[in-house]
Amino acid sequence: MGFFDKLLHSKVPESVAVQNAPLTVCAPFSGTAMKMEDIPDPVFSQGVLGTGCGIDPAEEIVYAPFNGTVSQTTDTLHAIGVTSEDGIELLIHVGMDTVEMAGKGFKCLVKKDQAVTAGQPLMTFTLSDIQSAGHPPVTAVVVTNADDFAGVELLADGRVEHGAPLLRVTK
């Protein structure tokens, strides 16, 4: 069994399966959660694209943060958009300025308009490639339609495991 076979057929952690609560965004991977204003890029830290947080990754697989649909993939494979069943439009942008890497070190495992379930692998990336290219690996997790909701609250601070509640969106 190859790496991707193991990846795609691995058991979804119970915490992921349980954490598909309404209006909740779970951590797409394990790492260190940080406030939005601490993301090392003004486009994200100033909320230009929406409200959310950053995660400094401790693993190289991005998992679906809720049940929903893939709404966007990029040619450069560094970012993915997912829309939840309850209308949260989420951008997961791996690393800062990683568009410049032109896809090196990234692999998308899903297609646009594909239905996904919480905990399903969406993409992989290689931290060493991001760091070798001189880019911070901090990943922006942003509710791009935050204006459609009353608020977006960061639930985690510091170490977070993938599948744990990360953001709560209120109507």
Side-chain angles (χ1 to χ4, degrees):
M1 184 180 280
F3 170 76
F4 285 104
D5 291 327
K6 288 179 185 176
L7 171 71
L8 297 174
H9 294 101
S10 63
K11 184 179 179 211
V12 174
E14 189 175 317
S15 64
V16 174
V18 173
Q19 297 301 333
N20 192 44
L23 298 171
T24 300
V25 175
C26 292
F29 49 75
S30 300
T32 304
M34 64 184 66
K35 294 176 183 168
M36 198 167 135
E37 56 266 20
D38 294 332
I39 297 174
D41 183 298
V43 170
F44 294 109
S45 66
Q46 294 174 13
V48 173
L49 297 178
T51 305
C53 68
I55 302 178
D56 194 1
E59 62 183 320
E60 299 177 326
I61 302 169
V62 175
Y63 298 94
F66 41 61
N67 292 342
T69 305
V70 176
S71 51
Q72 178 184 8
T73 59
T74 60
D75 291 339
T76 52
L77 310 175
H78 70 288
I80 192 163
V82 187
T83 302
S84 73
E85 294 172 339
D86 43 15
I88 299 168
E89 296 174 6
L90 191 76
L91 171 65
I92 303 170
H93 187 285
V94 179
M96 297 295 113
D97 300 318
T98 48
V99 67
E100 296 172 3
M101 294 175 63
K104 182 181 186 294
F106 296 92
K107 180 170 179 61
C108 190
L109 306 173
V110 293
K111 295 182 170 111
K112 187 176 186 300
D113 299 323
Q114 180 178 335
V116 295
T117 56
Q120 177 180 341
L122 301 178
M123 65 185 289
T124 63
F125 59 95
T126 306
L127 281 169
S128 60
D129 286 343
I130 294 170
Q131 292 163 333
S132 293
H135 303 298
V138 171
T139 296
V141 180
V142 179
V143 177
T144 58
N145 65 337
D147 291 344
D148 295 346
F149 298 95
V152 177
E153 175 188 4
L154 178 60
L155 300 174
D157 186 25
R159 180 74 182 161
V160 65
E161 298 299 320
H162 90 264
L166 179 67
L167 300 170
R168 180 180 303 124
V169 179
T170 52
K171 287 197 175 206

